[in-house]
Amino acid sequence: MKAEQRATEDAPGEQSALVRPRRMRPHNADVVRRARLYADGRALVVRDRRSRERRYPVGAGGIRRAVFVPPDASDAWENVSRRPAERWGVLVFQNEDGHDVLCVPLADWLPEAGVVGILELKPAKCLDLTELRELAAAVGLPVEEMPPSKSGERELPARGPGHAPDRAVHRELPRWHSWIRGLGLFGWLVALVVAFAGDVDWCLPVAAGALFAVPAADSVVRVGAWWRNRRDAGRYFAEAVVITPDPVPGEGATPRFRRTASVRVLPGDVVLTDTLGRERWLGRDGAHGVARLVRLVSAGDRQPLGVEFRDRSGQARALLPWRYWFAGPRGRSRWEETVSALSVSAVDEEVQSSRQAPGATKPWWHSHPLAADARAMAPLPAKDARAESNWHSAVIGGNELLLVPLFSLVLLAGLFGDSVTARLAGLFSALTIVAEWGPAAAKSLFSRFHYDKPNENA
């Protein structure tokens, strides 16, 4: 079976109206590859990362309305920072009694979420780009748009009888991961108090073992993601046309950029992977599939600056910097391969003066709506690459890398104690420190001396 056939075989009927998730980090790439919203006859189907499906019939006894609830128009800062999942609003599917059955936050189903901001993309436009409007029309539901609410007037979702509405959202980390980490920290604290207050020796290894569950949960997620990504490479992309960067010699492209960034062309999808391994899927069919390549050129000498992937409505969905992708020794053939693989028209367009950088210190794309995309699809400064790819700072957050080893030091001295319980507690504490600091230190050293070290000769 071919890889491109395998990529779509799990969703019968998804050729109708298909909605894809937002871009995801490498440990969540299986969400982008499997999760979908699509119409199957008169039913709305939600498929999750494990290819499990929930079906919502449309009609009598099922969904009867689709209502778009825009974000609070008076507080853009809250939409962006405190309510990121609702920054472009929520599409709510309701039954005949007006109770919410399914809530779909647009920010979770826009492939380029994270590289385009709320100021550059209005909520009504986002409703179209996600193809949620077409999805609702496919099951016979015209979308009703509520007027933007004012601060303090946001109504709570109407609940169905006995339960809250389902939400089609993607978690950054699995639920079990949060539970294990929380129970590990709680168990460490309780067992430690009992051990010292009640002089119960056997509680010492229990406390150390509970704390070890914190980095162990992280390791399970990361190793599992590594294994799934290796498996999916052959499952989804074995027959894909792969476009890799071909930068100008001397531009200082890093090994991370050269090995990670890519554009894969499948029969029904375009898969873009940025320098940090974050993956997003754009469709090739439908009203908002990739329908044209636009090569942006400078107004004066008409030198190529970048390439936009645009849909049929003329909306730019992705942006590649030309000098990092098509300006190298094999750049011309790489560009022709891209146009041929996508089988779309390619035109040149002059960059407007409002998009040009005022000085040489800023890249030309700094005022482009997809400036964050161009930055992510180019070599990142070493410091930025380490910070944005760091598991603890970018994914977990907080000061775990400092606090968990510090907590482990309390029982580490038991490694040299006389009793078996003390030595066992010390062993677990040492393993906790190694599990926290080992991968972080190895990744940092590898980044500094190789992966994010620019090669000026290539």
Side-chain angles (χ1 to χ4, degrees):
M1 182 178 294
K2 293 184 178 180
E4 55 264 46
Q5 294 173 329
R6 182 65 178 174
T8 58
E9 68 175 356
D10 293 330
E14 71 174 50
Q15 68 275 10
S16 175
L18 180 63
V19 182
R20 300 165 179 82
R22 60 181 168 89
R23 71 168 185 168
M24 290 283 185
R25 295 179 180 275
H27 70 276
N28 264 343
D30 55 322
V31 174
V32 192
R33 296 164 187 168
R34 296 185 181 87
R36 296 290 186 269
L37 285 175
Y38 65 93
D40 184 10
R42 291 282 291 172
L44 181 66
V45 183
V46 181
R47 194 176 75 198
D48 65 13
R49 66 193 306 163
R50 298 182 181 178
S51 297
R52 297 174 303 188
E53 294 183 348
R54 289 175 288 167
R55 302 177 66 87
Y56 300 88
V58 177
I63 295 174
R64 299 299 297 269
R65 298 176 65 205
V67 182
F68 175 53
V69 183
D72 187 346
S74 64
D75 195 346
W77 173 251
E78 180 185 11
N79 296 330
V80 174
S81 59
R82 283 174 280 174
R83 311 176 78 104
E86 299 180 9
R87 63 180 54 180
W88 286 294
V90 180
L91 183 61
V92 181
F93 293 93
Q94 299 178 337
N95 62 18
E96 56 190 3
D97 296 326
H99 293 125
D100 295 351
V101 176
L102 176 67
C103 297
V104 183
L106 271 60
D108 263 38
W109 295 94
L110 178 70
E112 57 264 43
V115 296
V116 61
I118 189 173
L119 298 179
E120 291 79 16
L121 181 60
K122 301 304 180 183
K125 187 67 175 178
C126 184
L127 184 63
D128 292 323
L129 294 181
T130 57
E131 299 199 42
L132 282 168
R133 194 188 299 274
E134 287 75 13
L135 177 66
V139 293
L141 295 173
V143 176
E144 306 171 26
E145 298 189 26
M146 293 180 58
S149 62
K150 297 181 180 179
S151 181
E153 296 181 1
R154 183 187 300 272
E155 296 183 0
L156 295 175
R159 297 191 174 188
H163 62 84
D166 293 337
R167 288 178 63 85
V169 297
H170 312 300
R171 296 177 60 87
E172 181 70 23
L173 293 163
R175 193 180 301 275
W176 64 261
H177 175 269
S178 301
W179 275 101
I180 289 179
R181 285 167 53 85
L183 290 174
L185 289 170
F186 180 74
W188 169 80
L189 180 61
V190 171
L192 198 64
V193 170
V194 172
F196 286 112
D199 196 19
V200 182
D201 290 344
W202 61 265
C203 281
L204 294 176
V206 172
L211 191 59
F212 176 69
V214 175
D218 293 344
S219 298
V220 171
V221 171
R222 299 170 75 176
V223 172
W226 171 82
W227 180 83
R228 288 192 300 271
N229 290 337
R230 282 181 59 88
R231 178 196 61 190
D232 288 350
R235 184 181 185 187
Y236 291 97
F237 306 124
E239 303 296 331
V241 177
V242 182
I243 312 299
T244 55
D246 187 34
V248 175
E251 282 290 334
T254 62
R256 180 193 295 273
F257 171 66
R258 287 177 172 273
R259 296 180 185 179
T260 307
S262 68
V263 177
R264 297 182 178 97
V265 182
L266 296 170
D269 300 276
V270 181
V271 184
L272 296 104
T273 305
D274 66 19
T275 308
L276 298 176
R278 293 172 298 202
E279 190 175 296
R280 70 185 188 272
W281 289 47
L282 299 175
R284 295 181 61 187
D285 302 319
H288 296 283
V290 176
R292 185 169 54 158
L293 291 175
V294 177
R295 184 167 58 177
L296 302 178
V297 299
S298 58
D301 53 11
R302 297 188 64 83
Q303 290 297 312
L305 299 175
V307 176
E308 287 183 346
F309 290 60
R310 292 188 185 177
D311 60 19
R312 286 168 175 76
S313 66
Q315 178 72 33
R317 306 300 301 270
L319 177 62
L320 303 182
W322 182 270
R323 64 175 178 171
Y324 294 121
W325 284 83
F326 306 107
R330 298 173 300 277
R332 181 171 181 175
S333 62
R334 198 68 51 88
W335 170 242
E336 293 174 351
E337 183 182 6
T338 304
V339 176
S340 175
L342 287 169
S343 300
V344 297
S345 61
V347 298
D348 287 355
E349 182 178 299
E350 289 188 356
V351 173
Q352 301 299 320
S353 58
S354 59
R355 287 187 180 178
Q356 295 181 16
T361 58
K362 293 183 179 180
W364 66 269
W365 63 71
H366 83 284
S367 58
H368 192 284
L370 290 174
D373 193 20
R375 175 181 178 272
M377 300 298 286
L380 293 174
K383 184 177 180 181
D384 294 345
R386 282 193 294 273
E388 294 181 32
S389 63
N390 185 280
W391 174 263
H392 295 92
S393 62
V395 180
I396 299 298
N399 298 312
E400 177 187 315
L401 197 59
L402 172 65
L403 294 179
V404 171
L406 187 63
F407 293 160
S408 297
L409 291 176
V410 176
L411 301 176
L412 183 62
L415 195 62
F416 308 99
D418 297 330
S419 65
V420 175
T421 55
R423 273 182 275 178
L424 189 58
L427 177 60
F428 273 121
S429 298
L431 290 175
T432 301
I433 295 174
V434 170
E436 285 285 358
W437 281 350
K443 190 171 184 178
S444 179
L445 291 173
F446 187 62
S447 168
R448 290 176 184 275
F449 293 103
H450 174 65
Y451 212 36
D452 294 304
K453 187 176 181 180
N455 185 352
E456 300 295 343
N457 298 320

